[in-house]
Amino acid sequence: MDYTYCYDSPLGTMTMASDGDALVGLWFNGQRFFGATLDKRCETRRLPIFDETARWLDLYFARRAPDFNPKLTLRTTPFRRAIAETTRAIPFGAVSSYGAIATAYAERYGAPRVSAQAVGAAVARNPIAIIIPCHRVLARDGDLKGYAAGLDRKRALLELERGSALPTSLFAPNLRGRNIL
């Protein structure tokens, strides 16, 4: 059985989900793929993991990089899990590209080639918003592309982390040599 609890963020209500021990989901209400990893049996209940996640989110929305992470369990394919872990390594206030993540994945796992589109599809289905910061992944040219919770939220999250509008100098073109996988 899964459990859910709501968090009122400055960008709208979010639903947290847990298996009773770890966070298994965090979505903006109404976003694409909302609740895709939830067990059919689900009940609303306040749990310690939700209190910890709320503390993390409170710090984040106060423009501070949290110095801890709630326990997470990713219910997804091995490829999506690897992409989520790579995305999670993008530092607060920085960004990367779908192509750079694809290259890093291919190098790490010895794949001949991984498309940026495959990475984009995996990032789009990220079940734990913000904590796994898929909003930090941009197109190679720095354009904002897709975000399951909407481009306005993606822009707002990036601006929150930078304290201002997104400057082009922020864009990190590749992740090689950064030991993120």
Side-chain angles (χ1 to χ4, degrees):
M1 173 177 289
D2 283 340
Y3 303 93
T4 60
Y5 202 75
C6 287
Y7 175 84
D8 290 320
S9 89
L11 299 177
T13 302
M14 300 182 79
T15 296
M16 301 180 278
S18 174
D19 58 7
D21 181 48
L23 192 70
V24 299
L26 177 63
W27 304 273
F28 284 98
N29 288 5
Q31 79 173 56
R32 275 185 314 168
F33 311 113
F34 178 92
T37 59
L38 281 176
D39 189 324
K40 300 255 188 262
R41 298 175 321 161
C42 196
E43 107 183 17
T44 300
R45 180 182 294 174
R46 188 171 180 169
L47 300 171
I49 188 65
F50 295 147
D51 292 337
E52 183 179 11
T53 301
R55 280 193 310 278
W56 192 100
L57 290 167
D58 288 345
L59 286 169
Y60 178 85
F61 284 113
R63 296 179 184 244
R64 298 195 334 241
D67 60 355
F68 69 95
N69 284 305
K71 182 178 179 183
L72 307 179
T73 296
L74 291 172
R75 296 175 175 167
T76 191
T77 67
F79 176 74
R80 288 182 186 165
R81 183 175 294 108
I83 298 303
E85 290 303 323
T86 302
T87 303
R88 194 169 178 196
I90 303 168
F92 185 94
V95 297
S96 188
S97 71
Y98 299 101
I101 292 171
T103 299
Y105 177 89
E107 288 175 358
R108 169 71 190 262
Y109 293 98
R113 184 178 183 284
V114 176
S115 74
Q117 292 81 7
V119 169
V123 167
R125 286 164 181 78
N126 171 22
I128 302 176
I130 304 175
I131 296 172
I132 298 175
C134 54
H135 62 278
R136 296 181 189 149
V137 183
L138 309 179
R140 186 173 303 277
D141 63 4
D143 281 350
L144 301 183
K145 296 285 184 194
Y147 187 60
L151 287 180
D152 288 342
R153 282 194 180 112
K154 183 173 188 165
R155 185 175 295 105
L157 292 168
L158 291 168
E159 289 175 359
L160 176 144
E161 291 184 20
R162 295 296 297 171
S164 63
L166 181 64
T168 56
S169 62
L170 166 65
F171 192 69
N174 78 56
L175 297 171
R176 279 182 260 158
R178 297 252 345 250
N179 193 24
I180 58 162
L181 286 172

